[in-house]
Amino acid sequence: MTTFSSIASWLRRPLPRPAARTSLVCFPHAGGAAAFYTPWARLLPPHVELVAVQYPGRQDRVGEPPVRTMDELADAVAEALRADPAGRELVLFGHSMGASVAWETALRLEGSGHGPRHVVVSGRPGPARQRPGTVHLRDDDGLAAELRRLGGTHADLLDDPEVRSLLLPAVRADYRLIETYRPDTAARLRCPLTAVTGDRDEEATEAEVAVWRSATDAAFTPQVLPGGHFYLVAQAERVVASVLAACGAPAPAAHPVLP
């Protein structure tokens, strides 16, 4: 049985909005944490609440073992969302590894009759273009070098031995999970899907991201924004506005949808 404490362990609400009608559920990248999305909370209109997923093995869950497989991770998040007493309409957003976790979670939610209104995937090739990898087999220096290359982790954190000892086990586990992940390429969502990538993202090219078209039976919208793999850091307002527009929700007046 899912308890409130187990729901709370998976879902973070940096700016609670009890009267909100929609939850924007955000899934972090490999090695990422719920706090990555905290700045987005103030960019949302009052009727949308940010709900960020916290994977085990990092930040306030650092004492828990990281999840080893995609099935285990998506099953747990879907269970927490189904049991969430807020009971709101859901929009899912995931970046990089989080894109695959969001899609797998959405499939499970639809299978139990609690499907989301919309899914937005970012910086990740479509399921039919998932490629295996060996980053998780590298030593700590090699793993840190990969994080530096992608640019999603502050270099000073990777230079601190104590921080590295806390950070890298979860990073390695996430890379193992996503590099050994084998999606069901015949699976299809029933809700609309938007796929976004940066125009200089070598990890998820425009052509690879367009493959998400086959991951839904509903409307599909591709979008390319300026930047590399972590384009969404510098363009948080634009990304949030685009997510809201894709889902038919108006952006706040202070943060109009950008062309």
Side-chain angles (χ1 to χ4, degrees):
M1 179 180 295
T2 303
T3 64
F4 179 78
S5 61
S6 64
I7 296 170
S9 70
W10 285 97
L11 307 179
R12 301 287 181 273
R13 293 175 164 87
L15 185 60
R17 290 176 170 167
R21 302 188 301 273
T22 301
S23 292
L24 173 59
V25 184
C26 295
F27 296 74
H29 52 279
F36 179 80
Y37 292 106
T38 295
W40 288 24
R42 297 188 182 280
L43 302 178
L44 297 172
H47 65 278
V48 180
E49 181 184 60
L50 178 75
V51 178
V53 177
Q54 185 76 301
Y55 308 143
R58 66 218 69 206
Q59 292 188 333
D60 56 346
R61 301 188 72 182
V62 70
E64 302 177 47
V67 178
R68 297 186 61 85
T69 68
M70 179 65 78
D71 283 344
E72 182 185 353
L73 182 55
D75 285 349
V77 179
E79 182 181 5
L81 290 172
R82 283 193 296 264
D84 186 359
R88 301 189 186 113
E89 176 181 75
L90 301 177
V91 174
L92 308 188
F93 177 94
H95 179 65
S96 198
M97 182 186 89
S100 294
V101 184
W103 182 68
E104 290 282 356
T105 300
L107 289 170
R108 286 157 172 77
L109 290 172
E110 287 189 341
S112 61
H114 296 80
R117 174 179 176 178
H118 202 110
V119 175
V120 182
V121 292
S122 166
R124 183 78 186 161
R129 294 291 291 273
Q130 302 289 304
R131 48 183 182 262
T134 59
V135 173
H136 69 280
L137 298 176
R138 298 181 186 179
D139 62 16
D140 284 355
D141 287 340
L143 197 56
E146 177 69 5
L147 297 181
R148 287 191 178 92
R149 183 183 71 84
L150 294 176
T153 306
H154 291 298
D156 55 344
L157 297 179
L158 298 173
D159 292 336
D160 185 316
E162 185 175 350
V163 173
R164 271 177 47 147
S165 68
L166 293 173
L167 177 67
L168 291 187
V171 173
R172 187 180 304 283
D174 287 354
Y175 269 91
R176 181 187 302 113
L177 182 154
I178 198 62
E179 290 181 337
T180 59
Y181 165 56
R182 300 294 180 269
D184 177 1
T185 56
R188 302 286 188 274
L189 289 176
R190 297 192 294 272
C191 70
L193 179 70
T194 296
V196 192
T197 195
D199 61 0
R200 299 189 305 277
D201 188 356
E202 297 179 356
E203 303 302 305
T205 66
E206 185 175 351
E208 290 174 320
V209 169
V211 176
W212 281 103
R213 184 183 303 275
S214 65
T216 181
D217 285 329
F220 173 76
T221 305
Q223 186 173 15
V224 180
L225 295 175
H229 190 57
F230 281 94
Y231 72 93
L232 68 173
V233 174
Q235 300 190 74
E237 293 186 12
R238 184 170 186 172
V239 175
V240 169
S242 296
V243 170
L244 293 171
C247 304
H255 305 289
V257 176
L258 300 177

